[in-house]
Amino acid sequence: MTAWTRWRIAVPLVALSALSLAAALAGAVAWWSISGAASRAVTVAISLILAANLAVSVSIGIVRIRETPWLRIGIVVLGFLVSCGLCALR
């Protein structure tokens, strides 16, 4: 797989992960003082999951591999689903 192809896969995932992480951090800063302990814990968990998503998304573009990185793409999708589930829980 060429570097161009890897980055064509990675850029949308990086953008979505970065936007989601920025929104989670902005919400954490805005609502931290009035949130309870459980809500804060869920917010921290969401932020950590989205930060991991961002790291895995960047690794798709950086790491040289021969095949399509389906496992990493699946991990990013799973991270989004878990963070959405935690947001609904909160």
Side-chain angles (χ1 to χ4, degrees):
M1 175 177 284
T2 65
W4 172 250
T5 305
R6 286 193 320 266
W7 281 107
R8 284 183 59 201
I9 295 170
V11 166
L13 296 174
V14 168
L16 286 172
S17 298
L19 286 173
S20 298
L21 180 60
L25 292 176
V29 169
W31 296 96
W32 191 264
S33 63
I34 60 174
S35 297
S39 180
R40 288 180 184 175
V42 172
T43 301
V44 169
I46 290 170
S47 298
L48 290 174
I49 290 169
L50 292 174
N53 263 4
L54 183 59
V56 171
S57 298
V58 170
S59 77
I60 289 171
I62 292 175
V63 176
R64 291 184 177 185
I65 52 175
R66 294 185 183 169
E67 296 91 20
T68 305
W70 292 113
L71 180 62
R72 292 183 190 175
I73 293 169
I75 289 170
V76 172
V77 170
L78 182 65
F80 281 125
L81 291 174
V82 170
S83 65
C84 287
L86 286 173
C87 186
L89 178 71
R90 182 176 40 167

